[in-house]
Amino acid sequence: MFTSLSDRLSATFKNLRGKGRLSEADVDATVREIRTALLEADVALPVVRQFTATVKERALGVEVSKALNPAQQIVKIVHEELVGILGGETRRLRLAKTPPTVILLAGLQGAGKTTLAGKLALHLREAGHTPLLVAADLQRPNAVDQLSVVAERAGVAVHAPEPGNGVGDPVAVATSGIELAKAKLYDVVIVDTAGRLAIDADLMDQLKRVRDAVQPDETLLVIDAMIGQDAVQTAAAFDEAIGIDGVVLSKLDGDARGGAALSVVTVTGKPILFASVGEKLTELETFHPDRMASRILDM
Amino acid sequence: LTRDQLDQDTWDEVEETLLAADLGVGPTQELVAALQRRTRVEGVSDVAGARALLREELLALVDPTLDRSVATHVADDRPAVVLVVGVNGTGKTTTTGKLARVLVADGRSVVLGAADTFRAAASQQLQTWGDRVGARVVTGAENADPAAVAFDAVKHAVDEGADVCVIDTAGRLHTKTGLMDELGKVKRVVEKQAPVDEVLLVLDATTGQNGLRQAQVFSEVVEVTGIVLTKLDGTAKGGIVIAVQRELGVPVKLVGLGEGPDDLAPFDAEAFVDALLD
Ligand SMILES: Nc1nc2c(ncn2[C@@H]2O[C@H](COP(=O)(O)OP(=O)(O)OP(=O)(O)O)[C@@H](O)[C@H]2O)c(=O)[nH]1
Ligand SMILES: Nc1nc2c(ncn2[C@@H]2O[C@H](COP(=O)(O)OP(=O)(O)OP(=O)(O)O)[C@@H](O)[C@H]2O)c(=O)[nH]1
Ligand SMILES: [K+]
Ligand SMILES: [Mg+2]
Ligand SMILES: [Mg+2]
């Protein structure tokens, strides 16, 4: 069903050899193909619009000589621009000067927050840290049990003073988690929160209160790589409400093209720190902008 | 659609609305072309008229006449068996719980099978739902063979003379052949006990174009009979199900509208289309 951008552009440029510079009409045709390719990769429409405008300018300068294949040249431009956006500010996890470092995880329901909590904990423990997981999702059935199992698998401690399933106050749990970390010298605190819709005003307000209580060093938005056009609304709303510092793209082990990566970075201006690539706690990778760009373009 | 007269901007707006709802480029372009044809043929020149036609075209695609009943009553002498499948985190366990709630409220006895023996605390999660809605839950040990747990659950349902057995399975990406084979086995093993009457694929409404691949592969492996479109209470429209229904002929049967036990509803074609155009 999907054709790669190179195939699309090659078809568009079949008759262009030896024509000099690309004409305005050639470029428009090019931009249409790029637009389709990005939409099929689930890049959100407003982001596609912004992106193609940038590419259009550069495409106008492309020489169509016999030696050069204009399709390949333009694919290269698109790829470069994508890498530029996705990788502009790639960076590692920021640790606080005075421990504990506090990491707050947020996102839609089922995005992969609890699993990520375990993955980060394992990763940090292996780097010599002593993380504490805080069970502040007191809503989803057995989220506290899930985080406790995950903590055990990661070989780290868990702060789970409330049973959850509707019982307990997430803000209080988060607060006591920080106190515990300070008292027992855990140097990283990872706060797992309930999944929530960006339009759920009550739950977004609760998340703000959790944030204010723990003063996170890193507020990470977890986004499912399979998400479609809704990525922009979601990312913008979470960023507006709690001010995210970075993004983690989950479930990248599937075959979703992952255009959401471009959507989220463009809308929030925040970098993607990690790619979550499986259900196992070891399946966490640093994010590679060049690989992601190739994936979005199906190359 | 805000203009009075039909012009290129109108078509662009229609296209944007459909794309933004995750319909996908192909179905969107076909719809816009069909709409342009119809407005020309029928001499419709105002935006309101075009909008009405668009609604009609979409509704025809979604097809309100399709049978969307969930096969929970198939015979008097054996339980109906429902298998719930899908990729990770879409809402399978929650849907299983909500479906049980509807059935129990209808006076039917329900057994739930916790065939997700993989994810942390998955069976406890289903047990919570069972307690909440009044359904018995059959679980296995952590990392037990999911097919064995599913078989057990159906066997219990048969022995107890229960009306319905709903089996919750582990989330799995359709690209993982080992896990998909495992799912095929769950179904085959259950069928030694009783036929599987309904296979519900749970799709998250936020899912983009990948949803079609999910539906294709799950259908190949376990013959999906219906879609449950979850998380429609959010801002996402779930337009990918139009492609799914068109390509595979599998209708959406239920929608998820929240995290609570009563947040499951029959799919309503008109409401879906209206929300999509909203
Ligand atoms: N294949 C794959 N599955 C993942 C990945 N990350 C998480 N999952 C799975 O996705 C599902 C949901 O993950 P959770 O960690 O429970 O997600 P959550 O955001 O905490 O969900 P809620 O707390 O209900 O909002 C589980 O089945 C996880 O095993 C990933 O990178 N790849
Ligand atoms: N807003 C909303 N949330 C939902 C809906 N259905 C499920 N959820 C939430 O989505 C998250 C994942 O739901 P689960 O039922 O655990 O999903 P699952 O498919 O069983 O997940 P895995 O077994 O890990 O693959 C939970 O936080 C649910 O409460 C819905 O219709 N609307
Ligand atoms: K919606
Ligand atoms: Mg969670
Ligand atoms: Mg589940």
Short mmCIF file of all heavy atoms in Angstrom, two decimals, chain A residues 32-76:
data_model
loop_
_atom_site.label_atom_id
_atom_site.label_comp_id
_atom_site.label_asym_id
_atom_site.label_seq_id
_atom_site.Cartn_x
_atom_site.Cartn_y
_atom_site.Cartn_z
N ARG A 32 3.65 17.87 -3.44
CA ARG A 32 2.47 17.02 -3.27
C ARG A 32 2.87 15.59 -2.90
O ARG A 32 2.24 14.96 -2.04
CB ARG A 32 1.62 17.01 -4.55
CG ARG A 32 0.53 18.09 -4.56
CD ARG A 32 -0.56 17.78 -5.59
NE ARG A 32 -0.04 17.65 -6.95
CZ ARG A 32 0.28 18.70 -7.73
NH1 ARG A 32 0.13 19.93 -7.28
NH2 ARG A 32 0.74 18.50 -8.96
N GLU A 33 3.91 15.10 -3.56
CA GLU A 33 4.34 13.73 -3.26
C GLU A 33 4.91 13.64 -1.84
O GLU A 33 4.67 12.66 -1.13
CB GLU A 33 5.41 13.26 -4.26
CG GLU A 33 4.89 13.10 -5.68
CD GLU A 33 3.76 12.10 -5.80
OE1 GLU A 33 3.70 11.16 -4.97
OE2 GLU A 33 2.91 12.27 -6.69
N ILE A 34 5.65 14.65 -1.45
CA ILE A 34 6.22 14.65 -0.10
C ILE A 34 5.10 14.69 0.93
O ILE A 34 5.11 13.96 1.93
CB ILE A 34 7.18 15.84 0.11
CG1 ILE A 34 8.37 15.73 -0.84
CG2 ILE A 34 7.65 15.94 1.55
CD1 ILE A 34 9.24 16.96 -0.90
N ARG A 35 4.11 15.51 0.64
CA ARG A 35 2.97 15.65 1.53
C ARG A 35 2.27 14.29 1.71
O ARG A 35 1.99 13.87 2.84
CB ARG A 35 2.00 16.66 0.92
CG ARG A 35 0.70 16.85 1.67
CD ARG A 35 -0.14 17.91 0.95
NE ARG A 35 -1.34 18.25 1.67
CZ ARG A 35 -2.52 17.67 1.45
NH1 ARG A 35 -2.62 16.72 0.55
NH2 ARG A 35 -3.57 18.03 2.15
N THR A 36 2.02 13.61 0.60
CA THR A 36 1.36 12.31 0.68
C THR A 36 2.20 11.32 1.49
O THR A 36 1.69 10.61 2.35
CB THR A 36 1.11 11.75 -0.73
OG1 THR A 36 0.33 12.70 -1.45
CG2 THR A 36 0.38 10.43 -0.68
N ALA A 37 3.49 11.29 1.20
CA ALA A 37 4.36 10.34 1.90
C ALA A 37 4.34 10.60 3.41
O ALA A 37 4.26 9.67 4.21
CB ALA A 37 5.79 10.45 1.36
N LEU A 38 4.39 11.86 3.79
CA LEU A 38 4.40 12.19 5.22
C LEU A 38 3.06 11.86 5.87
O LEU A 38 3.01 11.35 6.98
CB LEU A 38 4.74 13.67 5.43
CG LEU A 38 6.15 14.09 5.02
CD1 LEU A 38 6.33 15.59 5.20
CD2 LEU A 38 7.21 13.34 5.84
N LEU A 39 1.96 12.14 5.15
CA LEU A 39 0.64 11.83 5.72
C LEU A 39 0.47 10.32 5.90
O LEU A 39 -0.09 9.86 6.89
CB LEU A 39 -0.47 12.38 4.82
CG LEU A 39 -0.67 13.90 4.89
CD1 LEU A 39 -1.60 14.36 3.78
CD2 LEU A 39 -1.21 14.31 6.25
N GLU A 40 0.99 9.56 4.94
CA GLU A 40 0.88 8.11 5.07
C GLU A 40 1.75 7.59 6.21
O GLU A 40 1.52 6.50 6.72
CB GLU A 40 1.23 7.43 3.75
CG GLU A 40 0.09 7.62 2.75
CD GLU A 40 0.27 6.87 1.44
OE1 GLU A 40 1.40 6.43 1.16
OE2 GLU A 40 -0.73 6.76 0.72
N ALA A 41 2.74 8.39 6.59
CA ALA A 41 3.57 8.01 7.73
C ALA A 41 2.99 8.57 9.04
O ALA A 41 3.62 8.50 10.08
CB ALA A 41 4.99 8.52 7.53
N ASP A 42 1.78 9.16 8.96
CA ASP A 42 1.09 9.67 10.16
C ASP A 42 1.65 10.98 10.70
O ASP A 42 1.40 11.33 11.86
CB ASP A 42 1.08 8.65 11.31
CG ASP A 42 0.08 7.53 11.07
OD1 ASP A 42 -1.01 7.82 10.55
OD2 ASP A 42 0.40 6.37 11.39
N VAL A 43 2.40 11.70 9.90
CA VAL A 43 2.78 13.04 10.34
C VAL A 43 1.51 13.89 10.32
O VAL A 43 0.71 13.81 9.39
CB VAL A 43 3.84 13.67 9.41
CG1 VAL A 43 4.21 15.06 9.89
CG2 VAL A 43 5.07 12.77 9.32
N ALA A 44 1.32 14.69 11.35
CA ALA A 44 0.08 15.45 11.45
C ALA A 44 0.04 16.59 10.43
O ALA A 44 1.06 17.20 10.12
CB ALA A 44 -0.09 16.00 12.86
N LEU A 45 -1.17 16.84 9.94
CA LEU A 45 -1.37 17.78 8.85
C LEU A 45 -0.71 19.16 9.03
O LEU A 45 -0.02 19.63 8.12
CB LEU A 45 -2.89 17.92 8.64
CG LEU A 45 -3.41 18.44 7.33
CD1 LEU A 45 -2.81 17.71 6.15
CD2 LEU A 45 -4.92 18.30 7.32
N PRO A 46 -0.90 19.83 10.16
CA PRO A 46 -0.27 21.16 10.30
C PRO A 46 1.25 21.07 10.24
O PRO A 46 1.91 21.99 9.75
CB PRO A 46 -0.72 21.63 11.69
CG PRO A 46 -1.68 20.63 12.21
CD PRO A 46 -1.71 19.45 11.32
N VAL A 47 1.77 19.96 10.72
CA VAL A 47 3.23 19.77 10.70
C VAL A 47 3.70 19.51 9.28
O VAL A 47 4.74 20.01 8.85
CB VAL A 47 3.61 18.61 11.65
CG1 VAL A 47 5.10 18.30 11.57
CG2 VAL A 47 3.20 18.94 13.08
N VAL A 48 2.91 18.74 8.54
CA VAL A 48 3.23 18.48 7.14
C VAL A 48 3.30 19.79 6.38
O VAL A 48 4.22 20.05 5.60
CB VAL A 48 2.17 17.56 6.49
CG1 VAL A 48 2.37 17.47 4.98
CG2 VAL A 48 2.20 16.18 7.11
N ARG A 49 2.34 20.64 6.63
CA ARG A 49 2.26 21.93 5.94
C ARG A 49 3.51 22.76 6.19
O ARG A 49 4.14 23.27 5.28
CB ARG A 49 1.02 22.68 6.45
CG ARG A 49 0.25 23.38 5.35
CD ARG A 49 -0.99 24.03 5.92
NE ARG A 49 -2.12 23.14 6.00
CZ ARG A 49 -2.91 22.99 7.06
NH1 ARG A 49 -2.66 23.64 8.17
NH2 ARG A 49 -3.93 22.17 7.02
N GLN A 50 3.86 22.85 7.45
CA GLN A 50 5.04 23.62 7.85
C GLN A 50 6.30 23.04 7.21
O GLN A 50 7.13 23.76 6.68
CB GLN A 50 5.14 23.55 9.38
CG GLN A 50 6.00 24.59 10.02
CD GLN A 50 5.90 24.48 11.55
OE1 GLN A 50 4.84 24.16 12.11
NE2 GLN A 50 7.00 24.72 12.22
N PHE A 51 6.39 21.73 7.26
CA PHE A 51 7.58 21.04 6.77
C PHE A 51 7.74 21.20 5.26
O PHE A 51 8.82 21.50 4.76
CB PHE A 51 7.51 19.56 7.15
CG PHE A 51 8.74 18.80 6.79
CD1 PHE A 51 9.87 18.85 7.60
CD2 PHE A 51 8.79 18.04 5.63
CE1 PHE A 51 11.01 18.15 7.25
CE2 PHE A 51 9.93 17.34 5.29
CZ PHE A 51 11.05 17.39 6.09
N THR A 52 6.64 21.02 4.53
CA THR A 52 6.75 21.08 3.07
C THR A 52 7.10 22.51 2.61
O THR A 52 7.76 22.68 1.60
CB THR A 52 5.47 20.60 2.38
OG1 THR A 52 4.34 21.22 3.00
CG2 THR A 52 5.33 19.10 2.44
N ALA A 53 6.69 23.49 3.37
CA ALA A 53 7.04 24.87 3.01
C ALA A 53 8.56 25.06 3.05
O ALA A 53 9.14 25.68 2.17
CB ALA A 53 6.35 25.85 3.96
N THR A 54 9.18 24.49 4.07
CA THR A 54 10.64 24.58 4.19
C THR A 54 11.31 23.86 3.03
O THR A 54 12.26 24.36 2.42
CB THR A 54 11.11 23.89 5.50
OG1 THR A 54 10.25 24.28 6.55
CG2 THR A 54 12.54 24.23 5.82
N VAL A 55 10.81 22.65 2.76
CA VAL A 55 11.44 21.83 1.73
C VAL A 55 11.27 22.48 0.35
O VAL A 55 12.15 22.40 -0.50
CB VAL A 55 10.86 20.40 1.75
CG1 VAL A 55 11.30 19.62 0.53
CG2 VAL A 55 11.27 19.68 3.03
N LYS A 56 10.13 23.11 0.16
CA LYS A 56 9.83 23.71 -1.14
C LYS A 56 10.93 24.70 -1.56
O LYS A 56 11.40 24.70 -2.68
CB LYS A 56 8.48 24.41 -1.09
CG LYS A 56 8.06 25.00 -2.43
CD LYS A 56 6.64 25.48 -2.41
CE LYS A 56 6.34 26.12 -3.77
NZ LYS A 56 4.94 26.48 -3.93
N GLU A 57 11.32 25.51 -0.60
CA GLU A 57 12.34 26.51 -0.90
C GLU A 57 13.63 25.87 -1.38
O GLU A 57 14.22 26.28 -2.37
CB GLU A 57 12.62 27.32 0.36
CG GLU A 57 12.26 28.78 0.19
CD GLU A 57 12.28 29.46 1.53
OE1 GLU A 57 13.38 29.73 2.03
OE2 GLU A 57 11.19 29.69 2.08
N ARG A 58 14.03 24.83 -0.66
CA ARG A 58 15.28 24.17 -1.05
C ARG A 58 15.14 23.44 -2.37
O ARG A 58 16.08 23.37 -3.16
CB ARG A 58 15.72 23.20 0.05
CG ARG A 58 16.32 23.91 1.26
CD ARG A 58 16.99 22.95 2.21
NE ARG A 58 18.16 22.28 1.64
CZ ARG A 58 18.83 21.33 2.28
NH1 ARG A 58 18.46 20.95 3.49
NH2 ARG A 58 19.88 20.77 1.72
N ALA A 59 13.92 22.89 -2.63
CA ALA A 59 13.72 22.14 -3.87
C ALA A 59 13.82 23.04 -5.09
O ALA A 59 14.26 22.62 -6.15
CB ALA A 59 12.36 21.45 -3.83
N LEU A 60 13.44 24.30 -4.91
CA LEU A 60 13.49 25.24 -6.03
C LEU A 60 14.92 25.44 -6.53
O LEU A 60 15.15 25.82 -7.68
CB LEU A 60 12.89 26.59 -5.62
CG LEU A 60 11.38 26.68 -5.74
CD1 LEU A 60 10.85 27.91 -5.01
CD2 LEU A 60 10.94 26.71 -7.20
N GLY A 61 15.86 25.16 -5.67
CA GLY A 61 17.25 25.35 -6.06
C GLY A 61 17.88 24.12 -6.69
O GLY A 61 19.05 24.12 -7.06
N VAL A 62 17.10 23.04 -6.80
CA VAL A 62 17.69 21.79 -7.28
C VAL A 62 17.95 21.82 -8.79
O VAL A 62 17.09 22.16 -9.57
CB VAL A 62 16.76 20.59 -6.91
CG1 VAL A 62 17.17 19.34 -7.67
CG2 VAL A 62 16.80 20.34 -5.42
N GLU A 63 19.17 21.46 -9.16
CA GLU A 63 19.55 21.34 -10.57
C GLU A 63 19.07 20.01 -11.12
O GLU A 63 19.24 18.99 -10.47
CB GLU A 63 21.08 21.34 -10.71
CG GLU A 63 21.77 22.66 -10.54
CD GLU A 63 21.54 23.61 -11.70
OE1 GLU A 63 21.12 23.16 -12.78
OE2 GLU A 63 21.78 24.82 -11.51
N VAL A 64 18.51 20.02 -12.30
CA VAL A 64 18.15 18.75 -12.91
C VAL A 64 19.13 18.49 -14.04
O VAL A 64 18.88 18.79 -15.19
CB VAL A 64 16.72 18.79 -13.48
CG1 VAL A 64 16.29 17.39 -13.90
CG2 VAL A 64 15.77 19.33 -12.44
N SER A 65 20.28 17.96 -13.70
CA SER A 65 21.26 17.68 -14.75
C SER A 65 21.21 16.20 -15.09
O SER A 65 20.54 15.42 -14.42
CB SER A 65 22.65 18.05 -14.26
OG SER A 65 23.04 17.13 -13.26
N LYS A 66 21.91 15.81 -16.14
CA LYS A 66 21.92 14.40 -16.52
C LYS A 66 22.61 13.57 -15.44
O LYS A 66 22.23 12.46 -15.15
CB LYS A 66 22.67 14.23 -17.85
CG LYS A 66 21.84 14.60 -19.05
CD LYS A 66 22.31 13.82 -20.28
CE LYS A 66 21.53 14.19 -21.51
NZ LYS A 66 21.77 15.57 -22.01
N ALA A 67 23.61 14.16 -14.85
CA ALA A 67 24.42 13.42 -13.89
C ALA A 67 23.65 13.15 -12.60
O ALA A 67 23.80 12.11 -11.99
CB ALA A 67 25.68 14.20 -13.57
N LEU A 68 22.81 14.09 -12.25
CA LEU A 68 22.14 13.96 -10.96
C LEU A 68 20.71 13.48 -11.11
O LEU A 68 20.01 13.86 -12.03
CB LEU A 68 22.13 15.31 -10.24
CG LEU A 68 23.48 15.75 -9.70
CD1 LEU A 68 23.37 17.18 -9.20
CD2 LEU A 68 23.95 14.84 -8.58
N ASN A 69 20.30 12.68 -10.20
CA ASN A 69 18.92 12.22 -10.18
C ASN A 69 18.15 13.16 -9.24
O ASN A 69 18.36 13.14 -8.04
CB ASN A 69 18.92 10.78 -9.66
CG ASN A 69 17.54 10.23 -9.51
OD1 ASN A 69 16.57 10.98 -9.45
ND2 ASN A 69 17.45 8.92 -9.47
N PRO A 70 17.27 13.98 -9.81
CA PRO A 70 16.60 14.98 -8.96
C PRO A 70 15.76 14.34 -7.86
O PRO A 70 15.66 14.90 -6.76
CB PRO A 70 15.72 15.76 -9.94
CG PRO A 70 15.62 14.91 -11.16
CD PRO A 70 16.85 14.07 -11.22
N ALA A 71 15.19 13.18 -8.14
CA ALA A 71 14.39 12.51 -7.10
C ALA A 71 15.26 12.22 -5.89
O ALA A 71 14.90 12.52 -4.75
CB ALA A 71 13.78 11.22 -7.66
N GLN A 72 16.43 11.64 -6.16
CA GLN A 72 17.33 11.31 -5.05
C GLN A 72 17.80 12.56 -4.33
O GLN A 72 17.93 12.58 -3.11
CB GLN A 72 18.53 10.51 -5.56
CG GLN A 72 18.19 9.06 -5.90
CD GLN A 72 17.24 8.43 -4.90
OE1 GLN A 72 17.43 8.51 -3.69
NE2 GLN A 72 16.17 7.82 -5.39
N GLN A 73 18.02 13.60 -5.12
CA GLN A 73 18.48 14.85 -4.52
C GLN A 73 17.43 15.39 -3.54
O GLN A 73 17.75 15.87 -2.46
CB GLN A 73 18.70 15.88 -5.61
CG GLN A 73 20.12 16.39 -5.67
CD GLN A 73 20.26 17.33 -6.85
OE1 GLN A 73 19.95 16.95 -7.98
NE2 GLN A 73 20.68 18.54 -6.59
N ILE A 74 16.19 15.31 -3.97
CA ILE A 74 15.13 15.86 -3.12
C ILE A 74 14.88 14.96 -1.91
O ILE A 74 14.69 15.46 -0.80
CB ILE A 74 13.85 16.10 -3.94
CG1 ILE A 74 14.13 17.31 -4.84
CG2 ILE A 74 12.65 16.36 -3.04
CD1 ILE A 74 13.01 17.74 -5.70
N VAL A 75 14.95 13.68 -2.12
CA VAL A 75 14.82 12.78 -0.96
C VAL A 75 15.91 13.11 0.06
O VAL A 75 15.65 13.14 1.26
CB VAL A 75 14.90 11.29 -1.39
CG1 VAL A 75 14.99 10.40 -0.17
CG2 VAL A 75 13.70 10.92 -2.24
N LYS A 76 17.09 13.39 -0.46
CA LYS A 76 18.20 13.72 0.44
C LYS A 76 17.89 15.01 1.23
O LYS A 76 18.13 15.09 2.43
CB LYS A 76 19.48 13.89 -0.38
CG LYS A 76 20.74 13.92 0.45
CD LYS A 76 21.96 13.66 -0.41
CE LYS A 76 23.22 14.19 0.26
NZ LYS A 76 23.43 15.64 0.09
#
